[in-house]
Amino acid sequence: MSAVSGLGKALVVITGASKGFGRALALSIAPRLAAGSALILAARSDDKLQELKADLSRGESGLTVRCVAADLGCQAGVERVITEIRDIDPDIDHLLLFNNAASLGDVSRYCHDFTDVDEVNSYLSLNVSSALCLTAGVLRMFPQRTGLTRVIVNVSSLCALQPFPSWVLYCSGKAARDMMFRVLAEEEPDLRVLNYAPGPLDTDMQLQARSSSADDALRNSFSVMHAQGQLLTCDQSINKLIKVLLEDKYPSGAHLDFYDL
Amino acid sequence: SSPRDLGRALCIITGASKGFGRTLALQLSCLLKPRSVLMLVARTTEQLNQLKEDIITLYGGQNQLDVRCVQADLEKKEETSVSEMDHLLLINNAASLGDVSRFALTFTDPVEVNRYLSLNVSGALSLTAGVLQAFPRRLGLRRSVVNISSLCALKPFPSWVLYCTGKAARDMMFRVLAEEEPDVRVLSYAPGPLDTDMQLQARRSSRDLQLRRSFSSMFSEGQLLSCEESGAKLMKLLLDNDYQSGAHLDFYEL
C-alpha cells in the first residue's frame, strides 16, 4: 500500500463508536475514505450513533454510514454487526476493523473481591470474546484476495503490558487481547494486525478511572494528569494512529504505544 | 541437614486428577507437616479418589495428612480451620488446551470462547479470590498462590489462540494480585513441555503443521519432561521461597 493520505475505497468497522475514542476515530477517518466506501458504527446507544451519523453526513458524500445498535457482550450483538456488513459491496481496496469497544470493569475492587465467576465471565465476554468473534466473522465475510488490504486494529493499553492495582479485569482483558491478535498475526501473514495503545485519553473511561479506582496512588496520579492538562485529546492520539496505518510499516502483531511514536 | 518442608499447610490443587496436578499432589504430600490438609479439586471423582488412596498409602498415615477430594465446582471450598496452619498454598493448575485444530478466524461463536475463558481464566480468579477471602491475612500465616503458566503466556503459537490468550490473561491477573497484596507470595510457573494427555492432544490435533511436527519430534526424541522433574523444580521454588512475587518463571530458566 503506497503512502497516500487516503484509504481508498474502504469498508471500515468501528466498535464502541458512540463516544470517546471510537467516535473521534469515525470523524477522523471518514474524510479519508473514497466515494463508495462504507463506515459501520457499532455501539449500544442508537441515539448517539444516529447523532454521529448526522455529524458525518455534513462531510463527505458517497460515504455509506450504517449504525448498528448492539451489545457486544452478548452473542446476538456480535451477530448483528456481522449481518450488517453482509450486503456491503465487496469491491473494496481496504478493509479496516477497529476493535475499540471496551469497559473498565469495576476498578473500585481488588482481585480478592472477584469471587463471582459470572461477573468475570461477563466482563471477558465483552472485552475479549467479542473482539475475537467479531474479527473472525468480519474476516470470513471478506476473505483474502489480491488487491484487498485487510487491517485489524486492537485498541490496546499500557495495561496490556503492566499490572495496575485495582484494575485486574481491565489489565487481564487487555493482556488477553494483545496475545489474541499476536496469534492472529502469526496465523495470517497477509493481514495487517496492530495492537495500538492510545495513551491516557480525556474520555468518560478516564473519568471513571480517576473517580473510582480503589488504589489511592493510581487515583491521585490520574487526577493530577487531568488537573495538569496531561491527558491527550482523542484527536491527538488518532492522528498518530492514522499516520502509522498509512505508512504501513509496522510489524504485524506489534504493540505500539502513542508515546513510542 | 534437616529436611525442609512447607509447614503445616492447607494446600489446594485444581486439576488434581491427572497429569501435572496429580504429580504436584503427590510431591506436596511428602513436604507437608503433620495435620496439614490437602484439598484435591477436579472433575473426575474416580481418579481423585484413587489419588487420595495413593497419597494416604504413601504418606498419609505417618503424616496424619488429611486428604479431601472436591469434585468439580471450582467455586466451592470446604470449611477448614486454618487457625493452626502456618501456610496457605493454592495451586491453580486446572486448564484445557481448547480446540487447537482450528485457527483464530474460525472462532466466530462467543459461547465457545466464553466457555473456554470461564474455565481457564474466570475460574482461576474467582477461586483465588474466594480462597484469599476465606483465609485472610494473619500474622504467622504464609499465603502462596501459584499459577501454572506456560511459554504460551508470553509467545503466540499458531492454532493455539484460546490457550495463549488464556495464559496471557492469567499471567497478568496474577501480576495484578502481586501488586495489590504484597504479603501474598504469587508465582506464575511455566513447567516446560510435559509428557501428559494435554501434550498428546497438542501433537495430535494442532492445526499448524510446524507446531505438530515439533511436538512429535520432542516426543519421539525423549525431550518431553516428566511431571516429576518439573514438579520438583516448583517444589524447590516453594521451599526456597525467594522468588519475586508476581514473577513468571520457566522450568528452563531454573
Side-chain angles (χ1 to χ4, degrees):
Chain A
M1 202 196 112
S2 59
V4 291
S5 64
L7 293 161
K9 192 171 170 214
L11 167 61
V12 179
V13 181
I14 303 175
T15 65
S18 59
K19 51 182 187 158
F21 193 70
R23 185 181 211 280
L25 189 55
L27 290 164
S28 279
I29 231 171
R32 300 179 184 273
L33 306 177
S37 293
L39 180 55
I40 314 296
L41 308 169
R44 283 169 303 174
S45 164
D46 189 48
D47 290 347
K48 294 207 178 96
L49 287 177
Q50 296 300 338
E51 272 176 40
L52 175 57
K53 180 174 176 175
D55 286 348
L56 286 165
S57 69
R58 280 190 263 281
E60 309 308 299
S61 56
L63 174 65
T64 302
V65 179
R66 290 201 193 160
C67 302
V68 186
D71 178 0
L72 293 175
C74 65
Q75 184 179 11
V78 176
E79 283 170 359
R80 195 169 305 140
V81 181
I82 303 295
T83 303
E84 199 61 43
I85 67 173
R86 193 171 286 155
D87 63 350
I88 300 285
D89 178 5
D91 179 29
I92 48 172
D93 311 312
H94 224 143
L95 167 69
L96 290 103
L97 169 60
F98 291 91
N99 287 292
N100 167 73
S103 60
L104 203 51
D106 188 351
V107 294
S108 72
R109 290 150 62 210
Y110 294 106
C111 285
H112 65 226
D113 297 316
F114 288 98
T115 53
D116 180 2
V117 76
D118 290 336
E119 178 183 9
V120 184
N121 283 341
S122 175
Y123 183 85
L124 296 176
S125 183
L126 170 64
N127 289 275
V128 182
S129 309
S130 79
L132 176 57
C133 298
L134 184 64
T135 301
V138 169
L139 290 175
R140 291 172 81 77
M141 198 70 72
F142 291 89
Q144 179 181 3
R145 67 163 164 78
T146 334
L148 174 64
T149 304
R150 302 185 298 167
V151 181
I152 307 293
V153 178
N154 164 36
V155 180
S156 182
S157 168
L158 179 58
C159 295
L161 309 179
Q162 203 182 310
F164 287 83
S166 67
W167 283 36
V168 68
L169 295 183
Y170 192 73
C171 290
S172 303
K174 289 307 189 192
R177 288 165 67 109
D178 260 36
M179 176 55 81
M180 212 158 85
F181 288 102
R182 286 170 70 193
V183 172
L184 182 65
E186 282 287 316
E187 292 176 357
E188 310 280 337
D190 85 290
L191 286 182
R192 306 288 293 132
V193 181
L194 176 62
N195 290 317
Y196 177 67
L201 306 173
D202 194 359
T203 60
D204 282 357
M205 186 180 272
Q206 187 63 227
L207 175 63
Q208 189 192 346
R210 71 178 169 272
S211 50
S212 308
S213 293
D215 186 74
D216 290 337
L218 202 56
R219 208 173 55 250
N220 288 340
S221 85
F222 284 136
S223 295
V224 162
M225 270 198 279
H226 177 245
Q228 294 183 352
Q230 288 165 352
L231 293 178
L232 303 169
T233 64
C234 291
D235 284 344
Q236 272 176 291
S237 191
I238 286 163
N239 288 339
K240 279 203 178 172
L241 171 57
I242 291 184
K243 184 166 185 288
V244 167
L245 291 177
L246 290 175
E247 279 175 0
D248 198 23
K249 296 202 182 102
Y250 57 92
S252 191
H255 175 104
L256 293 179
D257 190 287
F258 173 87
Y259 290 112
D260 295 336
L261 304 163
Chain B
S1 58
S2 57
R4 296 188 299 163
D5 60 64
L6 291 170
R8 185 167 169 218
L10 165 60
C11 290
I12 304 167
I13 308 174
T14 63
S17 61
K18 53 179 187 163
F20 197 53
R22 184 179 203 284
T23 296
L24 291 179
L26 289 162
Q27 289 180 330
L28 280 172
S29 58
C30 56
L31 292 176
L32 303 176
K33 276 198 152 88
R35 285 178 297 129
S36 289
V37 176
L38 181 58
M39 209 174 272
L40 311 172
V41 184
R43 281 173 303 179
T44 43
T45 2
E46 298 103 61
Q47 287 173 317
L48 276 184
N49 286 331
Q50 185 58 59
L51 175 57
K52 176 177 176 173
E53 280 178 36
D54 291 345
I55 290 172
I56 290 170
T57 308
L58 288 166
Y59 312 112
Q62 69 216 54
N63 280 12
Q64 303 169 64
L65 178 63
D66 181 357
V67 184
R68 302 177 193 178
C69 299
V70 181
Q71 197 260 333
D73 203 333
L74 289 184
E75 295 164 29
K76 295 202 189 120
K77 62 229 163 294
E78 292 180 12
E79 286 304 314
T80 302
S81 163
V82 284
S83 55
E84 287 164 47
M85 304 281 186
D86 49 49
H87 197 176
L88 169 70
L89 172 58
L90 168 62
I91 302 187
N92 288 290
N93 166 75
S96 60
L97 202 51
D99 189 350
V100 294
S101 72
R102 292 155 52 201
F103 290 119
L105 56 66
T106 64
F107 287 96
T108 52
D109 182 5
V111 171
E112 179 183 11
V113 182
N114 286 342
R115 192 181 306 131
Y116 182 84
L117 296 176
S118 182
L119 172 65
N120 290 274
V121 182
S122 313
L125 178 56
S126 64
L127 177 67
T128 300
V131 169
L132 290 176
Q133 279 202 19
F135 306 109
R137 182 174 167 181
R138 164 173 72 70
L139 201 58
L141 177 66
R142 172 178 152 194
R143 299 189 301 166
S144 309
V145 175
V146 178
N147 162 36
I148 301 304
S149 180
S150 169
L151 179 58
C152 296
L154 308 179
K155 192 172 180 266
F157 287 84
S159 65
W160 283 37
V161 69
L162 295 183
Y163 191 73
C164 291
T165 298
K167 288 309 190 191
R170 288 165 65 110
D171 259 35
M172 176 55 82
M173 217 158 84
F174 289 100
R175 285 170 74 193
V176 174
L177 177 63
E179 285 285 318
E180 292 178 357
E181 310 263 358
D183 80 293
V184 178
R185 305 284 296 131
V186 182
L187 174 62
S188 285
Y189 176 68
L194 306 174
D195 193 359
T196 59
D197 282 356
M198 187 181 272
Q199 186 65 226
L200 177 64
Q201 189 191 345
R203 69 177 170 273
R204 277 200 186 146
S205 311
S206 294
R207 181 62 184 267
D208 186 77
L209 182 60
Q210 229 173 324
L211 207 57
R212 209 165 61 241
R213 280 188 180 149
S214 83
F215 285 135
S216 294
S217 80
M218 271 199 279
F219 174 67
S220 55
E221 286 165 34
Q223 287 165 351
L224 293 179
L225 302 169
S226 69
C227 292
E228 287 75 17
E229 200 179 347
S230 187
K233 276 204 178 170
L234 176 56
M235 293 305 119
K236 185 168 193 299
L237 284 169
L238 294 173
L239 288 166
D240 290 344
N241 195 25
D242 56 15
Y243 55 88
Q244 183 177 27
S245 191
H248 173 105
L249 295 177
D250 190 286
F251 173 88
Y252 288 114
E253 291 165 4
L254 305 161

